[in-house]
């Protein structure tokens, strides 16, 4: 007797075999299957792999559960259904659901188990093997989970709708959405464990992360009365060091929703820009909701993690509590507002009542106010706003223009007040957000570790004094300076002429009246012309934060691996020491988009008759709106 193992089951062969064990299938429904040689564009019903999973007496399966799963795959492939005649711990007998069909299989336990072996098999169908519907009665949520397991490993955001499409394409059957959704839930639990025990393992992860990355700041808070999770802060020592020595003194703060099974949560994150204008994650935290208290706690931990007390410019979308929290914890720093969110609020609260052409005009003027780099440009833009709409000018003054206009912002900045970086972080962790909390925090760590390693290798090959993106800006300014006129004052101050306009340059103060040198800390084309007339190198006036040397220093220290091979098995749900938070899932589909800033709404209903917010034309009882002919 010979036993061979093959892909989850073993085959038992001997000299004596049932002559009916492998029947001739020439007249069976196998002729309906293409066997992989289908024409391009024609969807296969099922692969030959599934058709041949049940084939002969002597097959031994490693468990009864595997035999039942293979039976399900086989019957779906052949297009028929079966029913149990016997089903207990030691034997399994099934028969075709059509009583006149001779197909029958009997299997029993091998010795003391758990293997099951096929003892008899009549593999001939006379019923036509036809399920008269698009679905199949054997597609349980467990079967769906098994079919989607591999794709979920590669793509944690694999959606139920995608699952339905792929099962239709690969298996030739349709499943309802609720079955695909529950199948995904079963697969996620099988891959990553119960979401409740995931919270319990955070204690272990917290200790192991500190052992592997000494000097890091990790803080896990649990409600002492209910033993429920409250919040978890993570800032690795390598990230804090990289921000201090290799990133510009700006931090982008943002919160994004996450889904932990049926429990909602929020990720609070602080990100920065390195010398090549790339995302650099400094710290992140998982909390139950975006509240004032959670932002206070997050920023207090962030302050502990930072290695120095250099002045920082914070940039946010005016999230809940941030406007009040930042001055309390960082009193010497400045808080800027993201202009993208200011524009959205302006559309919803002020410009929405006007017609499209006039609304477009007001938005352009608002952009002039935000991007003005000199006081004169700011005043001219405000005057233009007042001439077109007094209400719009009052809205600008009410909404803290000193926090989002370049000309009025008092803090040091290295670019525009625009929080694309925070949005980039939300997209960057998109796959991790749907995982249980333990796997989510570790996947974000792995992403940070791999990104830092890749950039360290790339930067080692750079042969320019400044980062590639900044080097291109410098070269562009050096080319454009060649057509400018220069008038020397004393070798420190210059007057540069461009298109009949003059610009004042002060090399020692590193200022230009156009404002761009002060804004980005890179000499503009006017400054390049003045510096060149002194026979000096322009590169010595570029901020050191853009240098290749500083960029490499940002990734000098590495986030260390956290081994989990010796992690204890998860306890039973009744034995967990840290329970999930009490926040409940809201009705409907869980949200995964960013959290709206203060005053921002999803959609404002604007009446086309009176231009007021909150109703439509059908229910309007106000007089028509027609100010100044618009």
């Amino acid at each position: 007797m010979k036993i061979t193992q093959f892909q989850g089951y073993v085959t038992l062969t001997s000299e004596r075999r049932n002559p009916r064990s492998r029947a001739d299938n020439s007249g069976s429904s196998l002729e309906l299957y293409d066997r992989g040689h289908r024409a391009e564009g024609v969807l296969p019903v099922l692969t030959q792999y599934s058709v041949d999973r049940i084939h002969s007496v002597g097959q031994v399966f490693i468990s009864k559960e595997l035999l039942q799963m293979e039976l399900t795959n086989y019957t779906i492939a052949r297009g028929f259904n079966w029913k149990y005649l016997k089903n207990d711990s030691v034997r399994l007998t099934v028969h075709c659901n059509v009583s006149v069909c001779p197909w029958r299989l009997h299997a029993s336990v091998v010795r003391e188990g758990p293997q099951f072996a096929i003892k008899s098999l009549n593999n001939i169908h006379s019923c036509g093997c036809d399920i008269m519907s698009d679905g199949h009665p054997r597609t349980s949520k467990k079967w769906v989970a098994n079919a989607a397991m591999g794709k979920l490993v590669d793509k944690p955001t694999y959606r139920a709708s995608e699952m339905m499409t792929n099962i239709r394409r690969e298996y030739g059957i349709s499943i309802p959405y609720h079955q695909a959704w529950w199948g995904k839930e079963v697969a996620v639990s099988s891959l990553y464990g119960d979401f409740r025990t995931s919270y319990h393992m955070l204690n272990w992860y917290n200790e192991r992360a500190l052992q592997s990355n000494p000097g890091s700041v990790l803080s896990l808070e649990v409600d002492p009365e209910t033993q429920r999770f409250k919040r978890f802060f993570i800032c690795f020592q390598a990230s804090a060091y990289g921000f201090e020595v290799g990133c510009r003194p700006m931090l982008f703060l943002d919160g994004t929703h996450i889904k932990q099974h049926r429990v909602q949560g929020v990720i609070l994150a602080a990100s920065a820009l390195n010398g090549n204008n790339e995302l650099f994650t400094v710290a992140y935290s998982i909390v139950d909701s975006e509240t004032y208290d959670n932002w206070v706690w997050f920023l207090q931990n962030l302050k502990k993690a930072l290695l120095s007390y250099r002045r920082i410019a914070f940039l946010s979308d005016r999230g809940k509590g941030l406007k009040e929290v930042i001055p309390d914890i960082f009193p010497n720093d400045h808080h800027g507002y993201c202009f993208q969110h200011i524009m959205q609020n302006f559309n919803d609260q002020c410009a929405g009542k006007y017609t499209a052409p006039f609304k477009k005009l007001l938005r352009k003027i608002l952009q002039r106010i935000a991007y003005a780099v000199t006081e004169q440009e700011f005043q001219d833009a405000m005057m233009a706003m007042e001439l077109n709409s007094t209400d719009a000018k009052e809205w600008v003054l009410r909404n803290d223009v000193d926090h989002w206009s370049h000309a009025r912002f008092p803090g040091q900045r290295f670019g525009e007040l625009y929080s694309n970086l925070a949005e980039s972080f939300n997209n960057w962790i998109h796959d991790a957000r749907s995982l249980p909390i333990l796997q989510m925090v570790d996947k974000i760590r792995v992403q940070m570790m791999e990104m830092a390693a890749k950039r360290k290798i790339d930067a080692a090959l750079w042969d320019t004094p400044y980062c590639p993106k900044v080097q291109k800006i410098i070269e562009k300014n050096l080319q454009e300076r060649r057509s400018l006129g220069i008038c020397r004052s004393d070798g420190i101050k210059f007057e540069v002429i461009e298109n009949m306009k003059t610009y004042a340059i002060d090399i020692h103060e590193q200022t230009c009246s156009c404002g761009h040198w002060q804004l980005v800390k890179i000499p503009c084309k006017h400054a390049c012309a003045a510096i060149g007339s002194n026979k000096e190198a322009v590169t010595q006036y570029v901020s050191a934060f853009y240098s290749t040397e500083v960029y490499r220093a940002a990734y000098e220290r590495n986030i260390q691996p956290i081994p989990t091979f010796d992690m204890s098995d998860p306890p039973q749900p009744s034995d967990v020491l840290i329970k999930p938070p009490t926040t409940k899932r809201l009705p409907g589909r869980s949200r995964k988009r960013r959290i709206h800033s203060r005053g921002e709404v999803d959609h404002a209903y604007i009446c086309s008759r009176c231009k007021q917010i909150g109703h439509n034309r059908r229910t309007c009882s106000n007089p028509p709106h027609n100010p100044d002919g618009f």
Side-chain angles (χ1 to χ4, degrees):
M1 182 176 293
K2 182 181 179 182
I3 299 178
T4 56
Q5 187 169 355
F6 175 70
Q7 294 186 1
Y9 64 87
V10 294
T11 302
L12 181 69
T13 58
S14 65
E15 295 181 359
R16 297 183 61 186
R17 300 186 60 182
N18 189 336
R20 298 176 59 188
S21 62
R22 188 145 193 180
D24 181 11
N25 293 318
S26 60
S28 70
S29 62
L30 287 178
E31 296 176 355
L32 301 175
Y33 297 94
D34 198 330
R35 298 185 182 275
H37 300 289
R38 57 188 173 87
E40 186 174 355
V42 179
L43 298 179
V45 179
L46 237 184
T47 62
Q48 181 63 35
Y49 170 80
S50 295
V51 174
D52 287 342
R53 293 300 281 177
I54 304 294
H55 57 74
S56 63
V57 171
Q59 281 183 269
V60 179
F61 298 84
I62 61 176
S63 67
K64 179 183 175 183
E65 289 73 21
L66 180 62
L67 171 58
Q68 290 172 313
M69 183 61 68
E70 295 298 350
L71 269 172
T72 301
N73 289 334
Y74 178 74
T75 55
I76 291 175
R78 295 291 299 270
F80 73 100
N81 192 17
W82 46 265
K83 59 184 177 181
Y84 287 108
L85 298 181
K86 295 177 183 179
N87 182 20
D88 53 40
S89 59
V90 297
R91 58 186 175 177
L92 177 71
T93 305
V94 293
H95 189 279
C96 181
N97 207 38
V98 179
S99 58
V100 298
C101 181
W103 186 89
R104 184 179 183 276
L105 180 146
H106 173 72
S108 62
V109 68
V110 177
R111 298 184 181 89
E112 298 180 358
Q115 294 89 358
F116 260 65
I118 297 178
K119 296 302 179 64
S120 66
L121 172 65
N122 187 343
N123 210 15
I124 297 176
H125 280 281
S126 62
C127 59
C129 303
D130 192 13
I131 297 292
M132 303 301 293
S133 67
D134 289 339
H136 197 284
R138 290 291 169 186
T139 54
S140 63
K141 62 183 181 183
K142 186 175 180 181
W143 179 85
V144 173
N146 186 69
M149 195 81 70
K151 290 186 175 65
L152 277 169
V153 172
D154 299 330
K155 184 182 178 184
T157 55
Y158 189 41
R159 297 183 298 174
S161 57
E162 295 177 290
M163 196 180 301
M164 295 169 63
T165 302
N166 290 337
I167 287 177
R168 176 67 180 177
R169 180 181 296 115
E170 296 172 9
Y171 294 89
I173 55 175
S174 299
I175 60 172
Y177 181 84
H178 71 86
Q179 194 174 63
W181 190 90
W182 278 112
K184 179 183 176 181
E185 292 292 304
V186 172
V188 169
S189 297
S190 176
L191 287 171
Y192 303 110
D194 190 282
F195 83 102
R196 291 168 292 183
T197 61
S198 181
Y199 285 90
H200 171 85
M201 303 307 294
L202 287 178
N203 256 334
W204 179 92
Y205 186 85
N206 186 38
E207 296 176 1
R208 179 55 60 88
L210 289 173
Q211 291 174 5
S212 302
N213 294 267
S216 301
V217 177
L218 282 81
S219 178
L220 174 62
E221 283 198 7
V222 180
D223 191 310
E225 296 182 359
T226 62
Q227 291 299 307
R228 292 194 177 275
F229 171 85
K230 290 182 64 177
R231 45 205 179 190
F232 189 24
F233 175 88
I234 301 171
C235 180
F236 293 103
Q237 197 275 341
S239 299
Y241 177 82
F243 170 69
E244 294 292 345
V245 303
C247 293
R248 287 167 265 181
M250 295 184 68
L251 279 176
F252 300 81
L253 306 176
D254 196 27
T256 182
H257 283 281
I258 57 175
K259 175 192 174 185
Q260 302 296 336
H261 196 70
R262 295 178 180 83
V263 179
Q264 294 287 338
V266 175
I267 294 182
L268 307 180
S271 305
L273 280 173
N274 61 24
N276 203 36
N277 289 328
E278 297 167 334
L279 172 73
F280 187 95
T281 303
V282 180
Y284 61 99
S285 176
I286 294 86
V287 298
D288 53 3
S289 60
E290 189 184 20
T291 62
Y292 175 85
D293 290 340
N294 283 335
W295 271 120
V296 169
W297 177 82
F298 177 81
L299 291 176
Q300 285 174 343
N301 281 285
L302 179 63
K303 193 170 186 179
K304 294 178 185 177
L306 299 181
L307 305 179
S308 67
Y309 292 96
R310 63 173 178 167
R311 303 192 70 173
I312 299 173
F314 290 91
L315 182 62
S316 76
D317 59 354
R318 297 189 299 174
K320 298 176 182 177
L322 275 175
K323 185 177 180 181
E324 297 80 16
V325 172
I326 291 178
D328 291 342
I329 301 178
F330 295 90
N332 298 322
D333 299 324
H334 298 94
H335 183 195
Y337 302 157
C338 170
F339 180 64
Q340 175 188 1
H341 300 85
I342 294 293
M343 177 66 80
Q344 290 174 346
N345 293 346
F346 180 75
N347 287 335
D348 295 333
Q349 301 170 9
C350 181
K353 62 184 179 181
Y354 298 106
T355 57
F358 193 61
K359 185 192 302 183
K360 184 177 181 180
L361 173 63
L362 294 181
R363 287 200 299 262
K364 287 184 177 180
I365 298 175
L366 188 70
Q367 287 179 334
R368 288 175 54 193
I369 294 173
Y371 296 130
V373 293
T374 64
E375 182 63 24
Q376 186 60 49
E377 290 178 353
F378 175 81
Q379 293 297 340
D380 292 344
M382 289 294 290
M383 180 63 70
M385 184 68 82
E386 183 179 17
L387 291 175
N388 284 277
S389 173
T390 304
D391 292 343
K393 180 187 177 183
E394 292 177 355
W395 186 94
V396 170
L397 297 176
R398 286 196 310 268
N399 281 268
D400 306 319
V401 66
D402 292 349
H403 290 268
W404 50 269
S405 174
H406 291 306
R408 289 298 183 90
F409 185 67
Q412 186 182 29
R413 58 205 184 277
F414 288 75
E416 297 178 350
L417 298 174
Y418 198 81
S419 68
N420 268 352
L421 194 65
E423 303 297 333
S424 298
F425 175 80
N426 295 340
N427 294 330
W428 185 59
I429 64 169
H430 182 267
D431 289 354
R433 288 187 296 176
S434 58
L435 297 176
I437 188 169
L438 176 64
Q439 286 74 23
M440 180 184 67
V441 296
D442 195 56
K443 182 173 177 59
I444 295 175
R445 176 195 63 83
V446 170
Q447 288 183 223
M448 293 169 59
M449 182 174 67
E450 291 180 337
M451 177 182 284
K454 180 181 182 302
R455 289 177 177 173
K456 189 173 184 177
I457 295 173
D458 293 343
L461 303 177
W462 295 349
D463 57 358
T464 55
Y466 290 92
C467 299
K469 293 181 180 179
V470 176
Q471 193 71 29
K472 290 181 179 180
I473 296 175
I474 296 173
E475 292 173 359
K476 177 176 178 291
N477 290 342
L478 288 174
Q479 286 293 328
E480 293 179 351
R481 74 170 181 175
R482 301 171 65 181
S483 61
L484 304 180
I486 304 171
C487 298
R488 179 185 294 267
S489 175
D490 56 2
I492 296 174
K493 297 181 180 180
F494 294 82
E495 188 175 289
V496 176
I497 305 170
E498 180 188 18
N499 297 330
M500 303 302 293
K501 294 182 180 180
T502 61
Y503 298 87
I505 313 297
D506 190 319
I507 293 180
H508 280 187
E509 296 295 329
Q510 298 189 10
T511 61
C512 176
S513 56
C514 76
H516 292 284
W517 192 1
Q518 303 91 294
L519 179 65
V520 297
K521 305 299 185 291
I522 300 174
C524 59
K525 57 185 176 182
H526 313 112
C528 287
I531 295 170
S533 70
N534 268 357
K535 309 299 181 181
E536 295 181 286
V538 171
T539 53
Q540 66 180 331
Y541 291 96
V542 180
S543 172
F545 287 111
Y546 298 117
S547 70
T548 300
E549 182 181 357
V550 171
Y551 182 95
R552 291 169 180 164
Y555 300 100
E556 180 180 345
R557 299 184 183 179
N558 306 316
I559 299 175
Q560 300 300 318
I562 300 178
T564 60
F565 72 94
D566 58 345
M567 183 171 61
S568 59
D569 294 333
Q572 295 298 319
S574 58
D575 299 329
V576 296
L577 300 179
I578 301 179
K579 302 176 182 177
T582 54
T583 55
K584 297 181 179 179
R585 179 184 176 187
L586 300 176
R589 181 173 298 181
S590 60
R591 61 186 297 174
K592 292 189 176 180
R593 296 185 178 180
R594 65 174 178 83
I595 299 172
H596 293 298
S597 63
R598 179 177 301 187
E600 187 179 349
V601 295
D602 284 325
H603 178 72
Y605 289 96
I606 302 173
C607 177
S608 60
R609 184 171 182 269
C610 69
K611 306 304 178 183
Q612 298 299 315
I613 298 175
H615 64 277
N616 57 28
R617 185 182 185 89
R618 294 180 59 188
T619 58
C620 180
S621 59
N622 299 327
H625 179 79
N626 188 28
D628 303 326
F630 288 100

